[in-house]
PDB file of all heavy atoms in Angstrom:
ATOM      1  N   ALA Z 152      11.059   2.481 -22.389  1.00 94.00           N
ATOM      2  CA  ALA Z 152      11.478   3.401 -23.370  1.00 94.00           C
ATOM      3  C   ALA Z 152      13.046   3.431 -23.435  1.00 94.00           C
ATOM      4  O   ALA Z 152      13.618   3.656 -24.556  1.00 94.00           O
ATOM      5  CB  ALA Z 152      10.957   4.787 -22.921  1.00 94.00           C
ATOM      6  N   ALA Z 153      13.726   3.334 -22.293  1.00 93.00           N
ATOM      7  CA  ALA Z 153      15.147   3.393 -22.243  1.00 93.00           C
ATOM      8  C   ALA Z 153      15.713   2.148 -22.801  1.00 93.00           C
ATOM      9  O   ALA Z 153      16.733   2.144 -23.537  1.00 93.00           O
ATOM     10  CB  ALA Z 153      15.605   3.752 -20.872  1.00 93.00           C
ATOM     11  N   ALA Z 154      15.175   0.992 -22.518  1.00 92.00           N
ATOM     12  CA  ALA Z 154      15.767  -0.365 -22.923  1.00 92.00           C
ATOM     13  C   ALA Z 154      15.486  -0.716 -24.363  1.00 92.00           C
ATOM     14  O   ALA Z 154      16.345  -1.403 -24.973  1.00 92.00           O
ATOM     15  CB  ALA Z 154      15.270  -1.452 -21.940  1.00 92.00           C
ATOM     16  N   GLY Z 155      14.329  -0.245 -24.796  1.00 92.00           N
ATOM     17  CA  GLY Z 155      13.951  -0.579 -26.144  1.00 92.00           C
ATOM     18  C   GLY Z 155      13.838  -2.005 -26.506  1.00 92.00           C
ATOM     19  O   GLY Z 155      13.378  -2.770 -25.594  1.00 92.00           O
ATOM     20  N   SER Z 156      14.354  -2.508 -27.612  1.00 91.00           N
ATOM     21  CA  SER Z 156      14.154  -3.914 -27.914  1.00 91.00           C
ATOM     22  C   SER Z 156      15.224  -4.765 -27.157  1.00 91.00           C
ATOM     23  O   SER Z 156      15.132  -6.029 -27.265  1.00 91.00           O
ATOM     24  CB  SER Z 156      14.380  -4.094 -29.400  1.00 91.00           C
ATOM     25  OG  SER Z 156      15.641  -3.734 -29.897  1.00 91.00           O
ATOM     26  N   ARG Z 157      16.121  -4.198 -26.509  1.00 92.00           N
ATOM     27  CA  ARG Z 157      17.204  -4.964 -25.741  1.00 92.00           C
ATOM     28  C   ARG Z 157      16.631  -5.840 -24.636  1.00 92.00           C
ATOM     29  O   ARG Z 157      17.092  -6.867 -24.401  1.00 92.00           O
ATOM     30  CB  ARG Z 157      18.247  -4.044 -25.218  1.00 92.00           C
ATOM     31  CG  ARG Z 157      19.167  -4.594 -24.087  1.00 92.00           C
ATOM     32  CD  ARG Z 157      20.187  -3.737 -23.701  1.00 92.00           C
ATOM     33  NE  ARG Z 157      19.776  -2.403 -23.303  1.00 92.00           N
ATOM     34  CZ  ARG Z 157      19.261  -2.158 -22.012  1.00 92.00           C
ATOM     35  NH1 ARG Z 157      19.127  -3.131 -21.130  1.00 92.00           N
ATOM     36  NH2 ARG Z 157      18.892  -0.937 -21.733  1.00 92.00           N
ATOM     37  N   ALA Z 158      15.547  -5.265 -24.063  1.00 92.00           N
ATOM     38  CA  ALA Z 158      15.048  -5.953 -22.879  1.00 92.00           C
ATOM     39  C   ALA Z 158      13.596  -5.939 -22.924  1.00 92.00           C
ATOM     40  O   ALA Z 158      12.860  -4.960 -22.918  1.00 92.00           O
ATOM     41  CB  ALA Z 158      15.444  -5.242 -21.437  1.00 92.00           C
ATOM     42  N   HIS Z 159      12.946  -7.279 -22.975  1.00 93.00           N
ATOM     43  CA  HIS Z 159      11.486  -7.367 -22.997  1.00 93.00           C
ATOM     44  C   HIS Z 159      10.930  -7.330 -21.588  1.00 93.00           C
ATOM     45  O   HIS Z 159      11.605  -7.786 -20.690  1.00 93.00           O
ATOM     46  CB  HIS Z 159      11.156  -8.799 -23.663  1.00 93.00           C
ATOM     47  CG  HIS Z 159       9.524  -8.938 -23.941  1.00 93.00           C
ATOM     48  ND1 HIS Z 159       8.942  -8.016 -24.598  1.00 93.00           N
ATOM     49  CD2 HIS Z 159       8.779  -9.905 -23.458  1.00 93.00           C
ATOM     50  CE1 HIS Z 159       7.661  -8.406 -24.539  1.00 93.00           C
ATOM     51  NE2 HIS Z 159       7.581  -9.569 -23.961  1.00 93.00           N
ATOM     52  N   SER Z 160       9.796  -6.780 -21.380  1.00 94.00           N
ATOM     53  CA  SER Z 160       9.213  -6.826 -20.065  1.00 94.00           C
ATOM     54  C   SER Z 160       8.038  -7.714 -20.061  1.00 94.00           C
ATOM     55  O   SER Z 160       7.064  -7.697 -20.917  1.00 94.00           O
ATOM     56  CB  SER Z 160       8.763  -5.356 -19.785  1.00 94.00           C
ATOM     57  OG  SER Z 160       7.974  -4.779 -20.772  1.00 94.00           O
ATOM     58  N   VAL Z 161       7.909  -8.436 -18.963  1.00 94.00           N
ATOM     59  CA  VAL Z 161       6.875  -9.498 -18.775  1.00 94.00           C
ATOM     60  C   VAL Z 161       6.257  -9.341 -17.398  1.00 94.00           C
ATOM     61  O   VAL Z 161       7.025  -9.076 -16.376  1.00 94.00           O
ATOM     62  CB  VAL Z 161       7.344 -10.896 -18.926  1.00 94.00           C
ATOM     63  CG1 VAL Z 161       6.216 -11.873 -18.615  1.00 94.00           C
ATOM     64  CG2 VAL Z 161       7.864 -11.036 -20.369  1.00 94.00           C
ATOM     65  N   ALA Z 162       4.960  -9.367 -17.287  1.00 94.00           N
ATOM     66  CA  ALA Z 162       4.285  -9.410 -15.909  1.00 94.00           C
ATOM     67  C   ALA Z 162       3.575 -10.767 -15.858  1.00 94.00           C
ATOM     68  O   ALA Z 162       2.976 -11.328 -16.727  1.00 94.00           O
ATOM     69  CB  ALA Z 162       3.234  -8.422 -15.848  1.00 94.00           C
ATOM     70  N   PHE Z 163       3.724 -11.342 -14.603  1.00 94.00           N
ATOM     71  CA  PHE Z 163       3.030 -12.603 -14.290  1.00 94.00           C
ATOM     72  C   PHE Z 163       2.332 -12.449 -12.965  1.00 94.00           C
ATOM     73  O   PHE Z 163       2.823 -11.897 -12.029  1.00 94.00           O
ATOM     74  CB  PHE Z 163       4.135 -13.765 -14.214  1.00 94.00           C
ATOM     75  CG  PHE Z 163       3.449 -15.038 -13.556  1.00 94.00           C
ATOM     76  CD1 PHE Z 163       2.763 -15.880 -14.363  1.00 94.00           C
ATOM     77  CD2 PHE Z 163       3.669 -15.280 -12.224  1.00 94.00           C
ATOM     78  CE1 PHE Z 163       2.242 -17.023 -13.744  1.00 94.00           C
ATOM     79  CE2 PHE Z 163       3.166 -16.428 -11.691  1.00 94.00           C
ATOM     80  CZ  PHE Z 163       2.458 -17.259 -12.515  1.00 94.00           C
ATOM     81  N   ALA Z 164       1.217 -13.127 -12.919  1.00 92.00           N
ATOM     82  CA  ALA Z 164       0.421 -13.307 -11.655  1.00 92.00           C
ATOM     83  C   ALA Z 164      -0.368 -14.637 -11.536  1.00 92.00           C
ATOM     84  O   ALA Z 164      -0.790 -15.058 -12.573  1.00 92.00           O
ATOM     85  CB  ALA Z 164      -0.633 -12.161 -11.498  1.00 92.00           C
ATOM     86  N   PRO Z 165      -0.349 -15.260 -10.399  1.00 91.00           N
ATOM     87  CA  PRO Z 165      -1.165 -16.487 -10.338  1.00 91.00           C
ATOM     88  C   PRO Z 165      -2.635 -16.155 -10.617  1.00 91.00           C
ATOM     89  O   PRO Z 165      -3.236 -16.932 -11.273  1.00 91.00           O
ATOM     90  CB  PRO Z 165      -1.052 -16.854  -8.916  1.00 91.00           C
ATOM     91  CG  PRO Z 165       0.238 -16.235  -8.361  1.00 91.00           C
ATOM     92  CD  PRO Z 165       0.372 -14.965  -9.198  1.00 91.00           C
ATOM     93  N   ALA Z 166      -3.096 -14.970 -10.350  1.00 91.00           N
ATOM     94  CA  ALA Z 166      -4.385 -14.391 -10.689  1.00 91.00           C
ATOM     95  C   ALA Z 166      -4.446 -12.905 -10.462  1.00 91.00           C
ATOM     96  O   ALA Z 166      -3.658 -12.416  -9.559  1.00 91.00           O
ATOM     97  CB  ALA Z 166      -5.425 -15.144  -9.910  1.00 91.00           C
ATOM     98  N   PHE Z 167      -5.287 -12.271 -11.100  1.00 91.00           N
ATOM     99  CA  PHE Z 167      -5.512 -10.890 -10.877  1.00 91.00           C
ATOM    100  C   PHE Z 167      -6.815 -10.691 -10.117  1.00 91.00           C
ATOM    101  O   PHE Z 167      -7.840 -10.569 -10.694  1.00 91.00           O
ATOM    102  CB  PHE Z 167      -5.509 -10.012 -12.111  1.00 91.00           C
ATOM    103  CG  PHE Z 167      -4.193  -9.922 -12.799  1.00 91.00           C
ATOM    104  CD1 PHE Z 167      -3.872 -10.709 -13.988  1.00 91.00           C
ATOM    105  CD2 PHE Z 167      -3.174  -9.029 -12.332  1.00 91.00           C
ATOM    106  CE1 PHE Z 167      -2.727 -10.530 -14.609  1.00 91.00           C
ATOM    107  CE2 PHE Z 167      -2.004  -8.969 -12.986  1.00 91.00           C
ATOM    108  CZ  PHE Z 167      -1.764  -9.740 -14.018  1.00 91.00           C
ATOM    109  N   GLY Z 168      -6.625 -10.931  -8.832  1.00 84.00           N
ATOM    110  CA  GLY Z 168      -7.832 -10.911  -7.956  1.00 84.00           C
ATOM    111  C   GLY Z 168      -8.469 -12.301  -7.909  1.00 84.00           C
ATOM    112  O   GLY Z 168      -8.740 -12.866  -8.870  1.00 84.00           O
ATOM    113  N   GLU Z 169      -8.501 -12.803  -6.687  1.00 78.00           N
ATOM    114  CA  GLU Z 169      -9.199 -14.125  -6.428  1.00 78.00           C
ATOM    115  C   GLU Z 169      -9.877 -14.171  -5.090  1.00 78.00           C
ATOM    116  O   GLU Z 169      -9.529 -13.265  -4.293  1.00 78.00           O
ATOM    117  CB  GLU Z 169      -8.231 -15.294  -6.510  1.00 78.00           C
ATOM    118  CG  GLU Z 169      -7.166 -15.185  -5.442  1.00 78.00           C
ATOM    119  CD  GLU Z 169      -6.223 -16.304  -5.560  1.00 78.00           C
ATOM    120  OE1 GLU Z 169      -6.199 -17.213  -6.542  1.00 78.00           O
ATOM    121  OE2 GLU Z 169      -5.325 -16.477  -4.590  1.00 78.00           O
ATOM    122  N   GLY Z 170     -10.889 -14.980  -4.888  1.00 72.00           N
ATOM    123  CA  GLY Z 170     -11.590 -15.092  -3.691  1.00 72.00           C
ATOM    124  C   GLY Z 170     -12.439 -13.928  -3.517  1.00 72.00           C
ATOM    125  O   GLY Z 170     -12.606 -13.512  -2.288  1.00 72.00           O
ATOM    126  N   GLY Z 171     -12.875 -13.240  -4.604  1.00 69.00           N
ATOM    127  CA  GLY Z 171     -13.773 -12.144  -4.448  1.00 69.00           C
ATOM    128  C   GLY Z 171     -12.998 -10.753  -4.441  1.00 69.00           C
ATOM    129  O   GLY Z 171     -13.565  -9.770  -4.365  1.00 69.00           O
ATOM    130  N   ASN Z 172     -11.700 -10.830  -4.486  1.00 81.00           N
ATOM    131  CA  ASN Z 172     -10.834  -9.597  -4.514  1.00 81.00           C
ATOM    132  C   ASN Z 172     -10.858  -8.893  -5.886  1.00 81.00           C
ATOM    133  O   ASN Z 172     -11.158  -9.678  -6.926  1.00 81.00           O
ATOM    134  CB  ASN Z 172      -9.362  -9.915  -4.236  1.00 81.00           C
ATOM    135  CG  ASN Z 172      -9.157 -10.143  -2.721  1.00 81.00           C
ATOM    136  OD1 ASN Z 172      -9.762  -9.539  -1.897  1.00 81.00           O
ATOM    137  ND2 ASN Z 172      -8.366 -11.242  -2.436  1.00 81.00           N
ATOM    138  N   ASN Z 173     -10.754  -7.656  -5.940  1.00 86.00           N
ATOM    139  CA  ASN Z 173     -10.856  -6.930  -7.189  1.00 86.00           C
ATOM    140  C   ASN Z 173      -9.351  -6.711  -7.653  1.00 86.00           C
ATOM    141  O   ASN Z 173      -8.455  -6.176  -6.975  1.00 86.00           O
ATOM    142  CB  ASN Z 173     -11.450  -5.409  -6.870  1.00 86.00           C
ATOM    143  CG  ASN Z 173     -11.527  -4.664  -8.080  1.00 86.00           C
ATOM    144  OD1 ASN Z 173     -10.993  -4.994  -9.165  1.00 86.00           O
ATOM    145  ND2 ASN Z 173     -12.326  -3.632  -7.984  1.00 86.00           N
TER     146      ASN Z 173
END
Side-chain angles (χ1 to χ4, degrees):
S156 59
R157 166 175 51 84
H159 186 56
S160 56
V161 175
F163 168 80
F167 290 104
E169 64 179 8
N172 287 318
N173 186 344

